Amino acid sequence: MPRVTPILRRAHKAIEELDLLKVLQSEINHELSSHRFQTGESGSPEDFVLEWDSPKSQDVVLRKKCASGEEVAISALLGRDTFQGDGSFPREALVKICVKKPGLNSLLQFDCVASRKGGNESEFDIQNANYMHSPSSLDSSFYKGPPFSSLDPDLQHELKQYLATRGIGEDFINFLLLYLHRKEQGQYVNWLQKLKDIIGENSERHLHGAG
């Protein structure tokens, strides 16, 4: 009789974990069978080459070298939920763009936000346009420029066109949003699977202990 209570406790815990395993497997099946990010409007990378995409990190880095010798580097990751548009891409993308002229250490850095506006249209807003003395000039004391929203509207428009002529237009933004959402979905499924594997191992031990 003294062993009945601990045995029942282990058995009850194992049953609870089996219920959790069923829910985890159901969520994995749902994600694998869903077609949320299989849109036909996949956009285009616009000659950008994927330079960094680790399965363990949230960000990606793309780069291209223009015929003029100018280099454009982009780092991006998903940000918060937007609760806007048609829900096809529920999260915004935080995008950092660096443009470097050949032979110069200085560069232009743009902090941007991209999101799906609705239908097949994407929204791309520049938050900051910074002048950097060099890629290593990250000291906050450097004057990098005024808030972008305070600039003359014509200047804001032309700076946005400046990026568009370097391949950062709606097609590229659609591609980037789709790529980042697919990446996050894959990482989520991988996380669910690891959680299921760990709980499954614990459940097996509890069942054997109760037997």
Side-chain angles (χ1 to χ4, degrees), residues 126 147-162:
I126 300 174
F148 189 79
S149 59
S150 70
L151 297 176
D152 180 86
D154 288 341
L155 181 52
Q156 292 184 40
H157 173 75
E158 290 304 322
L159 283 170
K160 198 167 183 178
Q161 286 300 113
Y162 177 84

Side-chain angles (χ1 to χ4, degrees), residues 86-103:
D86 55 10
S88 56
F89 297 138
R91 295 173 65 183
E92 66 184 16
L94 307 178
V95 186
K96 193 178 293 291
I97 303 165
C98 292
V99 181
K100 187 176 183 298
K101 297 284 186 178

Side-chain angles (χ1 to χ4, degrees), residues 105 107 132-139 142:
N105 285 328
L107 54 86
M132 312 289 287
H133 296 277
S134 72
S136 60
S137 59
L138 301 177
D139 192 325
F142 283 119

